[in-house]
Amino acid sequence: MSEPVKNFKGILATLDRANVDTDQIIPKQFLKSIKRTGFGESLFFDWRYDEAGKDNPEFELNAERFKGASILITRNNFGCGSSREHAVWAVDQYGFRAIVAPSQGEGENKIQAFADIFKNNCAKNSIITIELTEAEVEEIFQMVGRYEGLEATVDLEEQRLILHLPEEMAFHFDIDPAVKKNIIHGLDDIGLTLQKETDIEAFELKHNTQIAPSNVS
Amino acid sequence: MAKTLFEKIWEQHVVTTLEDGTSIMYIDRHLIHEVTSPQAFEGLRLTGRKVRRPELTFATMDHNVPTDDRYNIKDPISKAQIEALTDNCKEFGIQLFDLNSDKQGVVHIIGPELGITMPGTTIVCGDSHTSTHGAFGTFAMGIGTSEVEHVLATQCLPQKKPKTFKVEFAGIPKAPVSAKDLILKFIGVVGTAGGTGYVLEYCGEAIRALSMEERMTICNMSIEAGARGGLIAPDETTIDYIVKNDRPYAPKGEELEKAIEYWKSLPSDPGATYDREITIDVTNLSPQVTWGTSPGMVMDVTGTIPNVDEVPGYSPKDVQHTLDYMGLTPGTPLTDIKVDTVFIGSCTNGRIEDLRIAAKYFKGKKVAEGVHALIVPGSQQVKKQATEEGLDKIFVEAGCDWRESGCSMCLAMNPDQLKPGERAASTSNRNFEGRQGKGGRTHLVSPQMAAAAAVEGHFVDIRTWEED
């Protein structure tokens, strides 16, 4: 269960790479913890630190201008690979509260902005995944490049990302209504499923988990 | 109305559908391991919740166990994680196959082996390669730790019905081209996000001709195409795998008869429609090798390293980054690439058939000078079988390093890791940066290709490789 989130304002930071996988977001040596905390310092570990363990100046997110950023702008298929929720805990504990990425193309050839399991894990941790078009994300990359310390507001209720430029720029985004509701109200989704316990019990009476059939005669 | 295999399983498992379109899906089997479960159990303790159906959850330890001296875990944090799983299983009444068990192994190897994986059921596990179990016509998917907690507490998961994607392999490839080559080819064609939002159904002549273990290799890598799951319709091969072997958790007697009747009803009906379809002709398929840091960066063994602007679906900037990381120059033939390490194992290719075929390539040969060939059986049962067949001797005589079961160098959470700059031919599933060790360079291949690379010290086209 998380704190309710309706909207928030924060600094934008860019990571100009596609297909960023969860092994990059948090390498395996940090998966040995039995706790849910302490992952923020390990976010993008292999890219972020040099051999001596100091900040790698080449890595985009280490730039002074991105310090304290809470909205990450990146490229498509972010979070692919392993199901490790540690990746989302790392994103969260680093301070990001929303990730913006583009989908590419249309119809059956559409490439999604986010990998499936990662996106699910984000929803469970109230990290807002915002999928925009390629052109829109490109425009945001340009604006972040041009205006140092650029801030934006994520308005979850209105499903809008608003860039605070001299002339405000806003982008509408879609979100699963169930996810939106859970995040806005900070709902405990295990509790929500347990509200259906009568249905679950009735289902279990007719469902044999060994041989499945529950609805066939 | 004609239904697909997936739709039939889905309908059997929807407890109820909410107004917003979310369905509560019932989970028949829940597999857990040491890495992604401790925080879920902690969540249960904090909220005072119980495990709803402890008899439907099965646990093992695989991700960070050492494969040499397995009872002497030197890393205290790994040890703490193993101990946490033991304690949690005891506290919540969950069956655990621990390091002392002859049933221990990689979670996706032991599920099918023990008869925990059954056609037409739903299986989840806090591990993305849960898709492996789809080989039985099972809706199996990887989940995060919050969802692990959700399943422990409710035996259900809220789900939006995914779309369906029919993947047909036309024609039958010629040996030694294998299941691994089929799936790598598919990922190369659709890309690593090509399956996102879909459940795949693999079909066609080439699939029907595969053994269960080969089908598991195919379904295992569905997640590498981004898919929520990958299924293969059950047939006689599936039924034989279950019935003709000792599968302790499989249904027996009258229950088995009912189950078989159900399994036979599962294949997609003629005329069933899918949200997306693709046909790939594999008659003349070549052995596949990945050259980059994404499973979609794959080519025929006869290929050469591409130029930065020659890779569809990847920006020149990202390809340049990949080539720098991999230490490769455009124009280099794949067969000129030397390897330092060969890893044969994992939930993708760590089963007995994989070891048998690898042994065929190693028999009477020696691992090339300077190459470390690591052979890690997927489970204790696989290890036992391999030993009974004398495969272990062939490996050892060839100079391979024959180990205990576990995930090992597939994700390198245990001490089996590449050093920076080392290059591996690996039968695992991911070639991401640092996946097999920080700075390590991974090329994904079949067990046949891996074994031949170990012997020659570089990649070879096994179709023309001299066997003597």
Side-chain angles (χ1 to χ4, degrees):
Chain A
M1 199 174 357
S2 304
E3 293 295 314
V5 179
K6 287 191 175 67
N7 56 63
F8 66 89
K9 187 176 168 185
I11 297 171
L12 302 169
T14 52
L15 179 65
D16 189 7
R17 303 180 194 203
N19 301 300
V20 172
D21 58 75
T22 53
D23 277 79
Q24 289 316 313
I25 297 173
I26 188 148
K28 67 274 196 158
Q29 64 267 35
F30 304 108
L31 309 185
K32 295 177 183 176
S33 170
I34 55 172
K35 300 196 175 70
R36 248 178 202 267
T37 51
F39 296 102
E41 285 172 14
S42 313
L43 180 73
F44 299 121
F45 188 87
D46 287 356
W47 288 341
R48 189 168 151 197
Y49 302 108
D50 62 18
E51 293 303 320
K54 297 219 170 62
D55 280 4
N56 168 13
E58 306 278 299
F59 182 54
E60 295 136 281
L61 294 184
N62 284 337
E64 196 53 41
R65 62 202 303 259
F66 293 151
K67 287 273 145 64
S70 60
I71 303 169
L72 179 66
I73 315 295
T74 187
R75 302 293 185 184
N76 62 64
N77 198 27
F78 189 83
C80 59
S82 152
S83 63
R84 56 187 73 164
E85 194 164 320
H86 312 66
V88 175
W89 298 333
V91 165
D92 182 16
Q93 289 158 23
Y94 180 91
F96 287 121
R97 304 177 67 189
I99 310 172
V100 181
S103 57
Q104 254 184 324
E106 282 299 318
E108 63 176 30
N109 292 318
K110 180 174 166 180
I111 295 174
Q112 300 289 336
F114 299 97
D116 198 38
I117 307 176
F118 179 82
K119 188 175 170 180
N120 250 329
N121 287 339
C122 281
K124 305 286 179 193
N125 289 275
S126 295
I127 300 291
I128 302 165
T129 48
I130 299 175
E131 176 180 323
L132 298 177
T133 65
E134 256 188 302
E136 288 171 330
V137 171
E138 189 50 45
E139 196 163 13
I140 298 173
F141 263 93
Q142 299 293 331
M143 292 303 144
V144 174
R146 198 173 302 163
Y147 297 94
E148 195 167 326
L150 179 62
E151 290 189 298
T153 294
V154 174
D155 184 340
L156 185 55
E157 273 189 319
E158 296 297 322
Q159 298 178 209
R160 272 156 44 105
L161 172 72
I162 305 141
L163 267 53
H164 299 297
L165 292 160
E167 201 166 324
E168 220 165 65
M169 190 185 267
F171 303 91
H172 174 83
F173 61 88
D174 290 326
I175 185 168
D176 178 340
V179 170
K180 178 178 173 179
K181 189 172 146 203
N182 286 0
I183 297 179
I184 284 183
H185 299 287
L187 299 177
D188 160 25
D189 73 341
I190 297 180
L192 291 177
T193 299
L194 287 173
Q195 284 176 11
K196 299 286 169 193
E197 195 155 16
T198 322
D199 293 318
I200 299 171
E201 280 167 3
F203 180 90
E204 283 174 330
L205 283 177
K206 56 179 186 168
H207 181 81
N208 181 340
T209 55
Q210 273 282 18
I211 48 174
S214 56
N215 300 330
V216 285
S217 50
Chain B
M1 206 188 87
K3 290 175 192 160
T4 64
L5 164 62
F6 172 72
E7 284 160 346
K8 292 180 191 186
I9 303 171
W10 174 264
E11 284 177 9
Q12 289 297 328
H13 291 86
V14 172
V15 172
T16 182
T17 300
L18 311 176
E19 285 152 23
D20 62 17
T22 308
S23 294
I24 306 290
M25 182 176 78
Y26 201 77
I27 305 302
D28 293 323
R29 294 286 184 280
H30 186 196
L31 308 175
I32 60 172
H33 60 83
E34 76 276 20
V35 176
T36 58
S37 66
Q39 295 87 351
F41 285 110
E42 190 57 20
L44 292 182
R45 275 189 287 268
L46 289 171
T47 49
R49 287 175 176 140
K50 293 191 168 41
V51 176
R52 182 177 179 84
R53 300 281 303 270
E55 76 280 13
L56 299 182
T57 298
F58 298 87
T60 193
M61 24 193 75
D62 55 3
H63 278 60
N64 72 30
V65 302
T67 55
D68 43 9
D69 185 1
R70 65 203 323 239
Y71 298 109
N72 182 15
I73 305 178
K74 295 186 187 86
D75 178 354
I77 319 174
S78 291
K79 199 171 174 197
Q81 211 166 41
I82 301 259
E83 286 168 358
L85 182 63
T86 308
D87 294 345
N88 285 327
C89 287
K90 204 167 170 191
E91 180 181 343
F92 290 94
I94 290 164
Q95 169 79 64
L96 168 68
F97 307 111
D98 67 10
L99 293 178
N100 298 310
S101 169
D102 61 358
K103 297 182 175 69
Q104 179 272 346
V106 179
V107 65
H108 308 308
I109 303 252
I110 68 168
E113 206 169 65
L114 299 174
I116 292 167
T117 306
M118 283 293 125
T121 59
T122 51
I123 299 186
V124 294
C125 173
D127 186 282
S128 59
H129 292 108
T130 308
S131 57
T132 311
H133 309 268
F136 290 77
T138 305
F139 179 38
M141 63 172 182
I143 56 176
T145 298
S146 294
E147 291 176 305
V148 170
E149 184 181 339
H150 202 122
V151 176
L152 289 171
T154 69
Q155 203 58 39
C156 294
L157 270 185
Q159 281 286 302
K160 284 271 157 56
K161 189 179 178 181
K163 293 179 287 180
T164 53
F165 185 167
K166 181 183 183 180
V167 181
E168 184 175 355
F169 292 107
I172 295 183
K174 296 166 201 73
V177 173
S178 71
K180 185 63 165 283
D181 302 305
L182 292 180
I183 190 63
L184 284 172
K185 178 70 185 176
F186 167 67
I187 297 162
V189 170
V190 300
T192 53
T196 307
Y198 293 98
V199 168
L200 314 177
E201 183 182 338
Y202 302 102
C203 58
E205 271 185 282
I207 294 292
R208 287 298 128 215
L210 297 177
S211 70
M212 282 315 290
E213 296 196 355
E214 293 170 316
R215 293 177 189 185
M216 288 183 229
T217 299
I218 301 264
C219 291
N220 173 272
M221 290 188 75
S222 303
I223 182 65
E224 263 53 73
R228 192 166 296 180
L231 313 180
I232 292 175
D235 58 12
E236 289 303 322
T237 306
T238 321
I239 296 171
D240 285 353
Y241 177 93
I242 296 166
V243 174
K244 295 191 176 164
N245 294 281
D246 178 26
R247 311 274 174 221
Y249 293 90
K252 304 272 177 332
E254 205 179 307
E255 270 213 324
L256 176 64
E257 279 168 40
K258 272 195 226 161
I260 291 176
E261 194 186 327
Y262 170 56
W263 301 342
K264 286 184 170 169
S265 75
L266 289 170
S268 295
D269 299 326
T273 56
Y274 299 78
D275 296 296
R276 186 178 175 189
E277 296 188 25
I278 191 174
T279 302
I280 301 174
D281 188 342
V282 292
T283 317
N284 297 310
L285 186 66
S286 302
Q288 302 289 300
V289 183
T290 67
W291 55 269
T293 52
S294 159
M297 292 170 162
V298 64
M299 58 167 62
D300 294 352
V301 65
T302 49
T304 54
I305 301 303
N307 288 307
V308 291
D309 54 358
E310 284 175 352
V311 189
Y314 296 91
S315 73
K317 179 173 174 275
D318 283 352
V319 175
Q320 187 59 56
H321 177 87
T322 292
L323 291 177
D324 292 344
Y325 180 85
M326 292 297 290
L328 294 172
T329 315
T332 309
L334 267 178
T335 48
D336 281 1
I337 298 173
K338 293 191 170 63
V339 298
D340 306 296
T341 299
V342 169
F343 171 65
I344 298 178
S346 85
C347 56
T348 313
N349 285 118
R351 285 169 285 266
I352 190 67
E353 291 177 11
D354 299 312
L355 300 189
R356 280 183 195 137
I357 194 88
K360 219 180 109 192
Y361 280 74
F362 279 119
K363 191 165 187 178
K365 296 201 175 65
K366 290 280 178 203
V367 171
E369 185 79 29
V371 174
H372 178 212
L374 187 64
I375 313 222
V376 182
S379 70
Q380 286 298 297
Q381 291 207 50
V382 169
K383 181 171 191 193
K384 184 166 171 272
Q385 179 74 29
T387 308
E388 280 169 15
E389 295 180 19
L391 307 182
D392 59 331
K393 286 198 185 66
I394 296 174
F395 296 137
V396 171
E397 276 164 20
C400 300
D401 191 353
W402 170 243
R403 295 292 186 91
E404 296 285 346
S405 54
C407 296
S408 181
M409 200 182 272
C410 174
L411 85 166
M413 262 192 90
N414 77 344
D416 306 335
Q417 300 178 8
L418 294 180
K419 294 187 186 71
E422 274 187 351
R423 190 179 298 282
S426 178
T427 67
S428 55
N429 41 57
R430 291 193 174 128
N431 51 354
F432 297 152
E433 275 183 46
R435 171 79 178 180
Q436 296 191 291
K438 188 172 177 175
R441 296 159 171 167
T442 300
H443 297 269
L444 303 174
V445 288
S446 68
Q448 294 88 319
M449 285 287 291
V455 170
E456 291 296 330
H458 58 84
F459 291 109
V460 291
D461 185 346
I462 50 174
R463 292 170 301 181
T464 52
W465 188 45
E466 291 297 322
E467 290 249 357
D468 50 17

